[in-house]
Amino acid sequence: MIKNYFKIAWRNLIRGKSFSLINITGLAAGMAGAILILLWLNNEISFDKFHANKDNLYEVYGLTANTDGHANAIPVVSQPLGPALKQNYPEVEAVTRVKDINSFLFSVNNKSFTGVAASFVDPSFLQMFNFPLLKGNTNEQLKNIYSITITEKLAKKLFGNEDALGKTIRIDSADNFTIAGILKDLPANTRFNFDCLLPWDYLKKLGQGYNNESWLSNNTPTYVLLKPNTDVTVFNAKIKDITRRSSGRNDVWTHFLFPLQQWHLYNEFENGKVAGGRIETVRVFGIIALFILLIACINFMNLSTARSEKRAKEVGIRKVAGAGKNLLISQFITEAFLTVLIAGVLSLLIVQLLLPSFNTLINTQLAVPYTSAYFWLVALAFIAFTSLLAGSYPAFYLSSFKPISIFKKQFKQTNAALSPRKVLVVMQFTFAIVLIVCTIVVRNQIQYGEDRDMGFSKNNLIHINFVGDIEKNYPLIKQQLLNEGIATSVTKTMTGITEGGNHSWGLRWQGEIAKDTNTTITIFSADADFVKTAGLKLIAGRDIDINKYPGDSLSVLLNETAVKLMGFKDPVGQTITQPYNGTSFTVAGVVKDYIAGSPYEEIPPIVIEGPGAWFNTMHIKLNAANSTAANLAKAEKIFKSYNAAYPFDYRFVDEEYAATFNDAERTKTLAGLFATLAIIISCLGLFGLSAYVAESRIKEIGVRKVLGASAFNITRLLSFDFVKLVMIAIIIASPIAWYAMNKWLEGYNYRVTISWTIFLIAGLLAVGIALFTVSFQSIKAAVSNPVKSLRTE
């Protein structure tokens, strides 16, 4: 019986080649789009879920509570906190701190390398997290201060095909490290990103800027492995005030543990509570995948039911011959399954072809797990689900025909005001229009951020990290860059200007309001000529310049937001005090707000400290009178003369600023691609449907032409029915799209408003595409010879 079902199904596919081609193409495109999205969703959901201890792994967060009840959650804590947790709380199985540093020089056999991602960790790191060792003993890793554990990729980079285990690497021309283990390369679905692991004990040797044993300095991600069956709520209550007890201060932050299961998807906090994060994007693209699959299935439903007249006699004869309704349903579901199976195989081929480009677009490495039995079970379930989704309505619709109605031709409902087929077309275009609106809003939001005044001049501005002897020779390097006309100004700073700075709380000033002193303030540091080099706009006072004003080691600049927070009417000359060490700073000047983080967030209050602070970077404003290549070539010679062991490694600030839009640009591109796919699939179905409608009304069209109707009138008649359905879809889709995108925009402090013109553009686009699609079949029917259409058998 089943063999007979498939034989008949295959014959029907071959008999209706055009119908089958449209159906299979639409389903294959829809399934391929859904598979690509599902591969990405699976990657997002599985982040760090491969660790055996995933149910008991946590990250320690700091929580600062303002007096007005609002709180800020941060994923960094003080360096002494981790060991204190391990030592004083029996519930803790293990603790590790992680400090990422990418500025080291690695030397092997007289060859030097930079850009190696190094992470300092405690010895327990590899016991807590499952990063498999290819060579070496897990229990012996990171216990020796001069041992190093490297990834397979780094081993190949440094030693080629040689066995790297036991070999020596020199770091920063200072110390030699022995390779104690080689790790398998990290998977794409982990938050960790390192090429090698170094012992935490060596970090202590590096001193200031790296090692900080103060309980009042939050600068280190810290992870905890709890013993099984530990009540996290009870444990959080125990450790809440650990920093307050250890520092002797009651005005500092509290702590809580954040579970591994939520690290990647729930990474945004509001008032100290989880408020979403990447999970919102995952949900949106999950809905998009469902929409695309539904649109493809609706194509199948519509085209199958549109062919009902051609299949009606077959159904009638089968019923007269004794076939029951269930038998007919099984036959039509089998046909749907065969169509979907062919489309499924084709979709996998499409996915395989598109996957490299898709991986480049989303900046990760996805792969179809063909060797996994679980994958094939899911694939079979996916095909079965799609078969039922696409084939159930046609199966029940066709099997419900009554023989007597069929032979009297009383079953057709072509001109019904409301038919399931029209409802499906409306649904299909509703989904497509929602995606069009979403794409336009996402594009506008990204453009809004790109057009925002950044507050500084990024052109011809580069920054170089202090590595090797750069910091020691900074005054000489600066002077030579200026003397040779390579740069118009040079300054040194804490970090790159687009990287923000450190966060602080509790600054004090005259006339303060209690709740404002606990507001998060960004602390940045800069030397002389920062305003000039960065192209900041000075509103009041002057720039910091220790050469002219020796007292500027204790001077600061404020941005406009900081002045508003502190309520200064005349800020220059005001005093700001650090609560932790009592150091007082004098305000030397005020700069216009500039973007030091995400372009979609509100600009925070920023305090720029003077030369007494810690510096790690220098910014150089290249001379625009020379070519960039000439400036960089001359600058490289200068840096090589003072820092010969290190390559000349620089970064353009405009490129780094552009990189802040990468995630948003990817979202925009993906939304646009899948919206386009949805439209193409919808149009494919509309094309086939319009052909069958034109065919079913061919005699009506012939009569109208004989009675004098023009080709234009007939084209308008046939097209109007479809345009009317698209117009209804626009009315339904508009409030849905508005609500969805309004919720999405709530995640941005700096955001666009959703204008009515967006819905007008989406509507006109949908109507135009629909008209273009159906006009071919409408015009073809309108210009056909009425003699042929009115001729009877």
Side-chain angles (χ1 to χ4, degrees):
M1 181 66 73
I2 295 175
K3 181 181 178 182
N4 189 50
Y5 283 164
F6 277 101
K7 187 183 294 184
I8 295 170
W10 179 254
R11 287 173 180 170
N12 282 321
L13 282 177
I14 298 301
R15 188 181 300 123
K17 291 184 179 66
S18 299
F19 161 79
S20 300
L21 181 64
I22 291 173
N23 255 343
I24 291 171
T25 304
L27 280 171
M31 292 173 76
I35 289 169
L36 285 173
I37 294 175
L38 291 174
L39 283 173
W40 177 76
L41 293 182
N42 181 64
N43 181 70
E44 290 291 302
I45 293 168
S46 65
F47 249 69
D48 283 311
K49 301 293 176 61
F50 57 86
H51 299 298
N53 298 317
K54 63 180 182 294
D55 295 328
N56 296 311
L57 280 168
Y58 298 84
E59 184 173 15
V60 187
Y61 265 65
L63 190 65
T64 63
N66 296 345
T67 55
D68 62 355
H70 288 83
N72 299 298
I74 56 172
V76 287
V77 296
S78 64
Q79 292 182 9
L81 188 143
L85 290 176
K86 172 61 178 169
Q87 183 177 349
N88 300 321
Y89 296 90
E91 298 94 333
V92 176
E93 182 77 29
V95 169
T96 186
R97 296 160 291 182
V98 178
K99 191 79 168 177
D100 296 329
I101 300 175
N102 301 331
S103 58
F104 290 134
L105 179 74
F106 281 61
S107 300
V108 173
N109 298 330
N110 298 319
K111 293 181 181 179
S112 297
F113 303 87
T114 57
V116 177
S119 291
F120 286 92
V121 297
D122 287 295
S124 55
F125 180 84
L126 290 175
Q127 280 79 46
M128 295 171 62
F129 297 99
N130 290 100
F131 296 111
L133 269 176
L134 299 177
K135 294 180 180 180
N137 187 336
T138 302
N139 296 323
E140 296 302 319
Q141 303 303 306
L142 307 166
K143 290 185 177 178
N144 186 316
I145 190 172
Y146 295 112
S147 67
I148 185 172
T149 306
I150 66 175
T151 61
E152 189 178 13
K153 182 175 70 174
L154 182 60
K156 192 170 184 64
K157 178 180 179 180
L158 298 179
F159 300 99
N161 294 324
E162 295 180 33
D163 185 2
L165 191 68
K167 292 192 180 301
T168 300
I169 298 174
R170 191 164 181 80
I171 296 181
D172 267 1
S173 302
D175 293 301
N176 292 322
F177 287 78
T178 301
I179 299 174
I182 299 174
L183 292 167
K184 183 178 179 181
D185 288 337
L186 272 59
N189 58 339
T190 179
R191 65 153 46 183
F192 297 102
N193 181 27
F194 57 80
D195 297 315
C196 66
L197 298 174
L198 289 163
W200 187 268
D201 286 342
Y202 185 76
L203 185 75
K204 297 177 182 178
K205 181 183 174 183
L206 295 177
Q208 184 183 9
Y210 300 105
N211 182 51
N212 188 333
E213 293 296 328
S214 171
W215 279 89
L216 301 177
S217 178
N218 290 330
N219 54 51
T220 304
T222 300
Y223 303 95
V224 173
L225 174 64
L226 294 182
K227 292 178 180 177
N229 304 318
T230 299
D231 189 320
V232 180
T233 304
V234 174
F235 185 75
N236 276 337
K238 287 184 179 182
I239 69 166
K240 179 180 178 182
D241 296 322
I242 184 173
T243 294
R244 294 183 174 183
R245 292 193 299 268
S246 300
S247 66
R249 302 183 63 97
N250 291 322
D251 58 345
V252 296
W253 38 87
T254 56
H255 299 284
F256 67 93
L257 298 187
F258 188 56
L260 174 146
Q261 304 281 8
Q262 298 183 1
W263 287 354
H264 185 65
L265 297 180
Y266 298 88
N267 56 346
E268 291 183 6
F269 289 79
E270 186 175 316
N271 195 25
K273 304 291 184 182
V274 173
R278 291 181 68 87
I279 187 64
E280 306 297 337
T281 304
V282 167
R283 287 170 180 161
V284 166
F285 279 96
I287 292 170
I288 289 174
L290 182 61
F291 276 8
I292 289 173
L293 193 60
L294 280 173
I295 288 170
C297 290
I298 287 171
N299 273 358
F300 184 91
M301 295 178 194
N302 271 335
L303 292 175
S304 296
T305 56
R307 294 181 76 242
S308 57
E309 184 176 359
K310 292 183 178 294
R311 303 293 301 272
K313 288 184 180 179
E314 175 194 339
V315 172
I317 292 170
R318 282 175 176 272
K319 283 197 169 184
V320 168
K325 186 175 181 179
N326 291 338
L327 196 68
L328 290 170
I329 290 173
S330 299
Q331 173 63 52
F332 291 126
I333 289 290
T334 303
E335 289 184 20
F337 179 79
L338 183 60
T339 304
V340 173
L341 183 63
I342 295 170
V345 173
L346 185 59
S347 71
L348 283 178
L349 293 175
I350 295 171
V351 167
Q352 199 61 44
L353 289 172
L354 295 180
L355 201 53
S357 300
F358 188 69
N359 284 339
T360 301
L361 176 62
I362 63 175
N363 195 32
T364 191
Q365 290 300 314
L366 304 179
V368 181
Y370 293 112
T371 57
S372 168
Y374 176 73
F375 165 75
W376 290 110
L377 285 173
V378 171
L380 190 61
F382 181 67
I383 289 172
F385 169 76
T386 308
S387 302
L388 290 172
L389 190 65
S392 56
Y393 171 66
F396 282 100
Y397 176 76
L398 293 170
S399 63
S400 66
F401 291 164
K402 295 179 180 178
I404 192 167
S405 299
I406 292 170
F407 296 127
K408 288 184 177 182
K409 297 189 177 180
Q410 296 174 343
F411 66 93
K412 293 191 289 184
Q413 298 180 346
T414 305
N415 297 316
L418 180 65
S419 68
R421 198 179 309 148
K422 291 179 179 179
V423 171
L424 290 173
V425 171
V426 170
M427 283 177 60
Q428 193 175 40
F429 270 88
T430 297
F431 295 151
I433 292 165
V434 167
L435 291 178
I436 291 173
V437 172
C438 292
T439 301
I440 295 172
V441 172
V442 170
R443 178 203 166 278
N444 289 354
Q445 172 64 12
I446 293 170
Q447 193 63 48
Y448 192 57
E450 289 176 346
D451 293 342
R452 188 179 183 184
D453 180 11
M454 65 187 68
F456 63 91
S457 175
K458 65 182 187 299
N459 297 328
N460 295 313
L461 185 62
I462 64 172
H463 76 90
I464 299 168
N465 288 335
F466 283 164
V467 292
D469 295 329
I470 292 179
E471 184 173 16
K472 182 177 70 175
N473 294 316
Y474 169 76
L476 298 173
I477 295 172
K478 175 179 179 178
Q479 196 59 49
Q480 196 165 341
L481 288 170
L482 295 172
N483 290 344
E484 295 187 19
I486 298 167
T488 55
S489 60
V490 179
T491 190
K492 57 182 177 180
T493 58
M494 174 190 292
T495 62
I497 191 170
T498 60
E499 297 173 26
N502 292 333
H503 300 300
S504 184
W505 300 266
L507 293 179
R508 313 303 293 268
W509 58 87
Q510 187 177 359
E512 68 193 28
I513 298 173
K515 68 180 182 65
D516 291 338
T517 61
N518 280 321
T519 299
T520 304
I521 293 177
T522 297
I523 303 295
F524 196 68
S525 60
D527 196 11
D529 296 324
F530 175 59
V531 171
K532 180 182 178 182
T533 306
L536 300 178
K537 297 175 183 176
L538 199 62
I539 295 174
R542 58 173 176 79
D543 194 359
I544 293 171
D545 190 346
I546 197 169
N547 297 319
K548 291 182 180 179
Y549 309 97
D552 273 3
S553 59
L554 293 175
S555 291
V556 296
L557 298 175
L558 303 180
N559 72 341
E560 292 174 291
T561 302
V563 172
K564 290 176 185 176
L565 172 72
M566 297 174 184
F568 293 148
K569 293 182 179 179
D570 185 12
V572 177
Q574 297 284 352
T575 300
I576 299 171
T577 304
Q578 272 279 11
Y580 309 128
N581 54 23
T583 303
S584 293
F585 298 91
T586 302
V587 178
V590 178
V591 296
K592 183 178 175 62
D593 281 345
Y594 66 93
I595 299 172
S598 170
Y600 301 107
E601 299 296 330
E602 293 178 351
I603 295 175
I606 300 175
V607 175
I608 303 166
E609 297 179 355
W614 175 64
F615 300 108
N616 192 47
T617 301
M618 64 185 295
H619 283 77
I620 303 170
K621 187 73 169 180
L622 298 176
N623 190 342
N626 309 322
S627 70
T628 301
N631 281 329
L632 292 174
K634 291 178 181 178
E636 182 175 10
K637 291 181 181 178
I638 293 172
F639 276 89
K640 278 292 186 181
S641 66
Y642 291 103
N643 196 40
Y646 287 76
F648 179 52
D649 189 12
Y650 59 88
R651 284 173 281 179
F652 283 97
V653 171
D654 58 351
E655 292 178 356
E656 291 198 330
Y657 183 74
T660 62
F661 295 94
N662 284 349
D663 282 346
E665 287 286 353
R666 275 192 286 269
T667 302
K668 179 185 78 171
T669 305
L670 286 172
L673 285 175
F674 290 121
T676 302
L677 179 62
I679 288 291
I680 291 171
I681 296 170
S682 298
C683 290
L684 197 62
L686 200 60
F687 180 82
L689 193 59
S690 63
Y692 281 106
V693 169
E695 183 182 344
S696 67
R697 299 178 69 177
I698 192 70
K699 289 190 177 181
E700 175 195 342
I701 292 168
V703 172
R704 286 180 180 274
K705 291 193 72 174
V706 169
L707 294 176
S710 67
F712 173 77
N713 288 333
I714 292 172
T715 301
R716 183 178 63 181
L717 173 71
L718 293 176
S719 301
F720 179 72
D721 287 342
F722 290 105
V723 171
K724 186 166 60 178
L725 297 178
V726 175
M727 294 295 290
I728 295 170
I730 292 169
I731 295 170
I732 296 171
S734 295
I736 296 172
W738 178 88
Y739 176 79
M741 294 317 294
N742 197 54
K743 294 294 288 182
W744 179 73
L745 286 171
E746 285 178 2
Y748 296 93
N749 291 319
Y750 187 81
R751 57 181 180 263
V752 293
T753 55
I754 302 177
S755 168
W756 62 270
T757 56
I758 292 174
F759 302 100
L760 178 64
I761 292 169
L764 289 174
L765 192 62
V767 170
I769 292 171
L771 271 174
F772 178 78
T773 303
V774 303
S775 61
F776 176 79
Q777 294 294 348
S778 300
I779 293 170
K780 181 181 175 182
V783 299
S784 62
N785 189 341
V787 174
K788 291 182 179 180
S789 60
L790 295 174
R791 183 186 296 154
T792 56
E793 294 82 353

